Amino acid sequence: MPRGIPNVKKDESAMRFTSFHVPLAINPKHGGGNYMKTESQTYWYRNAARANAANKGKGLAEDAAGASTAGEGRRGSKILVIHPGSRWLRIGRASDVNPVSIPSVIARKQSTTPAKPQYVENISRPQKDRVRGQPCTIPQAGDEYAVALASDDPFDAKVAAISISLRDRMRFYKLRVTPNAAGIASTFNDQFKPEIIPEVNDPFHIDWITESSEDVLIGDAVLRLSDPQDLHYAVRWPFYAGAFNTRAYTSNQLIASDVEALFRAVLREKYGIEGRNYHEYSVVLVIPDFYDRFYVETLATILLVRMGFKQLCAQQESLAATYGAGISNACVVDMGATKTSIACVDDGLVIAETRMTLNMGGDDITEFLHILLEKISFPCRDIDLARSYDWNVMEDLKARLCTLAEGDVALNLYDFVVRRPGQPTEKYGLRAYDEIILSPMCLFEPRVIEFDNKRAGLRPMTGPGVTGDIVDQPTDHVTNAMMISTQHLLPIIPPHTIISAEPPLAFASSGTHTPAILNNNTQPPDQGGRSQTTSASNTTPPATEEPAKETIPTVGEEPKTDEQPTAGRISVPPPTASASMTGEGTADAPMEISDTEGPETKPLPLIPQEQLHAHYSAQHQPTYPGGFAIDVCFEASKLPLDVAIFNSARAAGGDEKIRKYLQAVLVIGGTALVPGMAHALESRLQAIATPLVPNMEKVQIIPPPKDVDPRVLAWKGAAVLGRMDGVTDLWITKQDWDMFGMRGLKERCFYL
C-alpha cells in the first residue's frame, strides 16, 4: 500500500475488468503542482466546454445564414420532458403549458392469434354463491351505526371491518345512516332496464377499429380495437409500478423495443419530430423516487444510444413535484394507478431514508368499486375488467362517484353509459350508498388487497450474479422508513429481549402485516367478543416470528382529542436510529407510547440500524435484498397510506422533522383527485401524530397550485428544471454515457 494513504479499502464488490494492478489516484495534498485541484481539470468540465464551443459556433453560423427563427429561440423549445407511468405516458416540450398524455399501451401485429390476456385479480373476491345481489352487511336493530356480518364469507368480514371504520367516522360527525340502504339499492338495480341511445344522438360515439393493417398501434388507437385477438394484435403495457412490466414480456429486449417504439410514435404523431432530428433535442427524464437501477439504465440507453438524443438529465418525481408546486420542503405523496410513492424533500434534495413505495393505487379502487357494485346487483351484468372498454366504464364511474367525504354518503341515483363495439350505446341507472366511499377507503384499510397476486409473474430484470459497475448503497434496496414499518416482523435480537406488558397482537388480513393491539372495550354487537380489528383477520403470515414477544407501540383507536374523528386502530412500529437522523426534538430517544387502558409500558431500547443489519445477516441467510430474513420492501408496501406517510416523516429525524413534513404534505397523482382526499388524510394523520409527537400542530395538506392538474404536476416541475440555468451542470451526453454508464448519471445527478 502506498505511504501516506492510510485505511484504503479494496473495492471487491464490483466486477473486475482486468487483472492488471491499477495504481491508486495521486493524493493532491502531497503534490507540488495544481493537478486535480480545480474543476476545470475534470472530464465533465472539458466535455461541457467543448459542447458550449460547438453550440456557440453553430449559433453564429445560423445567424449568419439567417436560419434561426423566433420559435426556435423560445426557452425550452428544444428540451423534451418525458414522464412514463403505468397507465399514462406524458411527453411534451419544456416550453409547453401542458404535456401530451396518452395511454402507455402498445399493440403489435402478429402472424398468429395471440394468447388471451389474463386478468390479475388484485382485490379479494367473495365466494361464488355470494358474488351478486348479496350485501356484505345487514342492518342491526337498535344502533344505526352497528355493523353485522351477512355471512361467514371472509370477504364480507373484510368489508365489514372497513364499514366499521366508516360508521365510527359518521358517528363522530353526527351523520345519519340510511337503514337497509343496500337492500333498497339492490332491488332498484336488479329491475333496471337500459335505455338504447341511437348513434346520431351519442355525442361521444367511439369510432371502433375493426380492420387495420398497421404493424404497431399506440395509445388511444389500441383501446379502440374492437377485438385485438381477432385482429391478431398483441396488446401490452410496458410500464408497471415504477418499473417495467416483466409479466407481459419474455425478454428485456422486447420491453426496450416497445418502449422505444412508443416514444418514437408519440414524438412523430403529436409533435412531428422525426428520428433524424433527435440530435437537436435534450431530454429530461422523470424517474421514480425509489427507482430500479436497471430501469433507469435501460431508459437512458434507449434515449441516448438507440434514439440518439443530444443529452439527458434524470429527475426524481418528488423533487420535480416540489419544483412544480413552488415549495422547497414537503412530504410528497404521489398516488398513481398501480403504486403510491412517498418521500420527503428538504431544500431541493430527496431524503433517501424517507422513500417508501406502497403497492396500491387507483386501479385497486376501480376493481374494488366493481366488486362492491356487483354485491348490490350492478345493472350491467356482463362487465369484464379484462376488456379495455369495460374497464373504461368503471374508470368513469370511479371518477364521478367515488368520494372520501362522509357527508356525501347517501342513497343517490347515478347514470352511466356503456359503449361496446358492434352494439348500440346503452344508458343505465344505478343506485348506490356507501360503496362510493368504501372503495377509496381501501387505501387506508388495505386488508382487501391481494398483494401476493400483484407480484405474481413478475421476474427480476437482472440475475442475482450480475454486478454493476458501481457499488450498491444500503438505501438502494431498503430505506429507514421501510425498516421502521417492518421492524415488528424481523427477529428479535437476544441481548435486547423485551417482555411484553400489553395484550397480544392481532394482524390484519390479506397479508397486511401492520399489527394492531386488541381493544377489549370496543366490540361490535355482532362479533360476540371479537374486536373490530380482528373481524376480518385470517391466519398470521409465515414471515412473522413470535410477534407476541415484542412490544409494539400502537396508536389508540380513539385519541383523546376534541377536534379529530376516530380512526381505525393501527400500529406504528418503534423507530430505529441511523446516522441520517438529524434535527431537534427527540431524535436521540425512542418514542414511548402508552395505552391508558392498559398497564404502563417501558420505552424500547435504541438499537442502531447497523447493529440490526449485522445481527440479521449473521443469524439468517440473506435471501432478500439488504440481507434480511424477510422482503422488507415488499412487506412495507402493504401499509395503510396514513401510517406510511407518518413513518416516512418519522425516518427523516426527530420530532421537529416530523412536525415540519406533516405540516407540508403535497398530494399529487390521479388518485389525489378523489373528493375529500385532503380532509381524509389530514384527520387520520392528526389522529396518529397528536399522541406521538409533542407540540404537534395541525397537519396540513398542500393543494397543487391554482389551475394545475395534480396528475401533471411532476411533469411541470421537470419542465421548470429544464428551463433553469443550473440544468447545464446535470446533462449527460452519449459520450459520457459510453464512458461512465450509470456511474456518470449518479455523478451528474447527485441526488440519485
Side-chain angles (χ1 to χ4, degrees):
M1 180 181 299
R3 307 181 91 184
I5 308 180
N7 300 328
V8 177
K9 295 183 179 180
K10 186 178 180 181
D11 182 15
E12 296 180 349
S13 57
M15 182 183 297
R16 298 189 61 183
F17 297 99
T18 178
S19 60
F20 182 77
H21 174 69
V22 181
L24 297 174
I26 300 176
N27 193 336
K29 296 181 180 179
H30 298 162
N34 60 354
Y35 178 66
M36 293 298 293
K37 288 187 177 180
T38 61
E39 184 182 359
S40 61
Q41 296 173 343
T42 61
Y43 173 82
W44 303 110
Y45 182 88
R46 294 195 300 268
N47 192 18
R50 287 194 298 266
N52 292 334
N55 293 335
K56 184 177 180 180
K58 182 179 179 181
L60 293 176
E62 288 182 352
D63 292 340
S68 60
T69 61
E72 293 176 347
R74 188 177 181 184
R75 194 179 186 90
S77 60
K78 291 294 184 178
I79 298 177
L80 298 175
V81 181
I82 301 178
H83 185 191
S86 300
R87 285 284 173 184
W88 297 92
L89 172 66
R90 294 180 172 89
I91 297 182
R93 294 186 176 94
S95 58
D96 296 341
V97 178
N98 289 311
V100 171
S101 300
I102 67 166
S104 55
V105 59
I106 185 171
R108 287 187 180 271
K109 194 85 167 181
Q110 294 186 353
S111 58
T112 59
T113 303
K116 183 179 180 180
Q118 297 294 329
Y119 181 76
V120 180
E121 297 180 351
N122 297 325
I123 299 293
S124 301
R125 292 296 196 272
Q127 296 176 356
K128 296 298 184 182
D129 57 339
R130 296 190 53 81
V131 173
R132 182 174 179 83
Q134 300 288 337
C136 299
T137 59
I138 56 177
Q140 192 79 358
D143 187 4
E144 62 176 335
Y145 299 102
V147 176
L149 286 176
S151 70
D152 57 353
D153 188 354
F155 177 80
D156 292 351
K158 296 176 183 179
V159 177
I162 305 177
S163 300
I164 291 174
S165 177
L166 172 62
R167 298 297 172 86
D168 287 343
R169 295 178 66 87
M170 295 180 68
R171 187 198 303 269
F172 177 85
Y173 291 117
K174 297 179 175 58
L175 299 174
R176 300 299 301 270
V177 177
T178 303
N180 196 24
I184 298 174
S186 180
T187 302
F188 175 85
N189 297 334
D190 196 35
Q191 298 175 354
F192 190 88
K193 302 299 180 183
E195 175 188 355
I196 305 299
I197 300 179
E199 181 178 339
V200 294
N201 296 335
D202 185 7
F204 302 101
H205 174 71
I206 299 176
D207 187 14
W208 300 101
I209 299 177
T210 57
E211 293 182 1
S212 177
S213 59
E214 297 288 337
D215 293 334
V216 178
L217 296 176
I218 65 162
D220 295 321
V222 179
L223 304 182
R224 290 190 292 110
L225 290 173
S226 60
D227 193 338
Q229 282 187 288
D230 291 345
L231 298 176
H232 297 279
Y233 278 102
V235 179
R236 297 187 180 96
W237 299 79
F239 301 100
Y240 179 78
F244 291 127
N245 185 13
T246 56
R247 181 187 290 119
Y249 293 88
T250 57
S251 68
N252 299 340
Q253 289 75 16
L254 291 177
I255 300 178
S257 178
D258 277 3
V259 171
E260 180 183 357
L262 193 61
F263 289 166
R264 288 181 180 273
V266 174
L267 294 177
R268 182 178 62 255
E269 296 176 4
K270 302 298 182 180
Y271 292 98
I273 302 176
E274 298 293 341
R276 60 179 179 272
N277 299 325
Y278 287 164
H279 67 278
E280 302 176 1
Y281 290 86
S282 305
V283 175
V284 178
L285 178 64
V286 183
I287 62 175
D289 301 320
F290 193 74
Y291 61 90
D292 179 33
R293 182 184 299 172
F294 187 85
Y295 169 77
V296 178
E297 185 176 357
T298 303
L299 288 179
T301 303
I302 292 172
L303 295 172
L304 288 176
V305 180
R306 301 175 65 165
M307 299 181 70
F309 282 102
K310 179 180 178 182
Q311 49 195 1
L312 172 71
C313 171
Q315 177 85 344
Q316 288 174 295
E317 290 175 339
S318 294
L319 190 56
T322 57
Y323 278 120
I327 55 180
S328 58
N329 301 283
C331 179
V332 182
V333 183
D334 188 357
M335 308 173 67
T338 57
K339 74 173 180 65
T340 300
S341 62
I342 306 168
C344 296
V345 179
D346 185 17
D347 291 333
L349 181 66
V350 177
I351 304 177
E353 294 290 354
T354 63
R355 297 176 299 171
M356 287 191 66
T357 300
L358 303 183
N359 204 359
M360 53 188 175
D363 287 356
D364 299 314
I365 299 177
T366 304
E367 186 175 351
F368 192 30
L369 176 64
H370 171 250
I371 298 173
L372 292 178
L373 293 180
E374 285 288 337
K375 300 287 285 186
I376 57 172
S377 303
F378 189 58
C380 187
R381 299 173 180 268
D382 54 346
I383 287 286
D384 184 6
L385 296 183
R387 298 185 297 221
S388 60
Y389 42 83
D390 286 345
W391 177 268
N392 290 336
V393 170
M394 298 309 303
E395 281 284 324
D396 176 68
L397 281 174
K398 179 187 71 173
R400 294 191 296 111
L401 270 63
C402 286
T403 180
L404 280 170
E406 290 80 7
D408 295 339
V409 177
L411 194 60
N412 295 328
L413 176 63
Y414 309 94
D415 60 71
F416 63 96
V417 178
V418 177
R419 298 178 178 89
R420 291 173 175 171
Q423 299 181 15
T425 303
E426 298 176 337
K427 184 177 181 180
Y428 287 87
L430 169 69
R431 299 197 73 175
Y433 183 57
D434 57 359
E435 292 78 14
I436 62 176
I437 191 173
L438 290 179
S439 50
M441 281 183 66
C442 69
L443 300 178
F444 304 100
E445 302 279 348
R447 64 189 71 219
V448 297
I449 301 177
E450 297 292 342
F451 292 97
D452 291 330
N453 292 351
K454 286 178 173 286
R455 66 173 182 177
L458 295 176
R459 56 177 177 81
M461 297 293 295
T462 58
V466 177
T467 305
D469 56 351
I470 55 177
V471 181
D472 289 343
Q473 300 296 326
T475 55
D476 290 345
H477 304 290
V478 176
T479 65
N480 194 24
M482 298 178 185
M483 287 291 300
I484 292 175
S485 304
T486 59
Q487 190 173 351
H488 59 283
L489 300 176
L490 296 171
I492 306 174
I493 299 180
H496 299 275
T497 303
I498 305 169
I499 305 301
S500 176
E502 295 187 357
L505 300 177
F507 289 85
S509 63
S510 74
T512 306
H513 295 344
T514 305
I517 191 166
L518 295 178
N519 186 358
N520 298 325
N521 297 330
T522 305
Q523 298 178 354
D526 61 301
Q527 298 294 320
R530 289 190 302 172
S531 68
Q532 169 183 341
T533 56
T534 58
S535 61
S537 62
N538 56 5
T539 58
T540 303
T544 59
E545 299 184 9
E546 301 181 10
K549 291 186 180 180
E550 46 184 340
T551 301
I552 306 298
T554 57
V555 179
E557 181 176 2
E558 253 177 81
K560 306 301 180 182
T561 57
D562 297 332
E563 53 222 24
Q564 295 299 328
T566 59
R569 185 172 288 271
I570 48 183
S571 166
V572 181
T576 58
S578 64
S580 63
M581 285 190 175
T582 57
E584 302 175 1
T586 59
D588 298 329
M591 293 184 180
E592 180 180 0
I593 308 162
S594 59
D595 194 345
T596 56
E597 300 176 357
E600 184 179 358
T601 59
K602 296 181 179 181
L604 293 174
L606 192 65
I607 305 174
Q609 185 176 3
E610 293 79 4
Q611 183 179 351
L612 287 171
H613 178 79
H615 171 76
Y616 300 141
S617 299
Q619 298 294 330
H620 301 275
Q621 185 69 23
T623 56
Y624 294 100
F628 296 98
I630 63 172
D631 193 344
V632 175
C633 183
F634 175 69
E635 299 297 338
S637 68
K638 303 177 182 179
L639 256 66
L641 178 60
D642 48 347
V643 181
I645 296 175
F646 180 78
N647 287 347
S648 177
R650 192 175 175 183
D655 295 340
E656 186 65 29
K657 293 288 186 180
I658 298 177
R659 288 192 292 266
K660 174 182 178 181
Y661 291 117
L662 290 186
Q663 291 173 4
V665 180
L666 178 63
V667 183
I668 63 174
T671 311
L673 294 174
V674 176
M677 176 64 73
H679 176 70
L681 276 176
E682 282 183 358
S683 59
R684 288 171 169 86
L685 285 173
Q686 194 75 50
I688 297 176
T690 300
L692 296 181
V693 183
N695 303 323
M696 183 64 204
E697 299 178 2
K698 189 176 186 302
V699 176
Q700 295 183 6
I701 307 297
I702 301 177
K706 187 178 180 181
D707 299 331
V708 176
D709 191 343
R711 294 173 292 186
V712 301
L713 188 62
W715 182 93
K716 292 185 73 68
V720 171
L721 175 71
R723 297 194 300 268
M724 294 172 58
D725 294 333
V727 76
T728 56
D729 297 331
L730 304 178
W731 293 120
I732 179 172
T733 63
K734 181 180 181 299
Q735 292 76 19
D736 301 336
W737 182 257
D738 292 339
M739 178 172 291
F740 296 104
M742 190 65 183
R743 180 164 60 90
L745 194 62
K746 289 182 71 70
E747 289 182 5
R748 295 298 276 174
C749 305
F750 58 91
Y751 43 78
L752 291 182

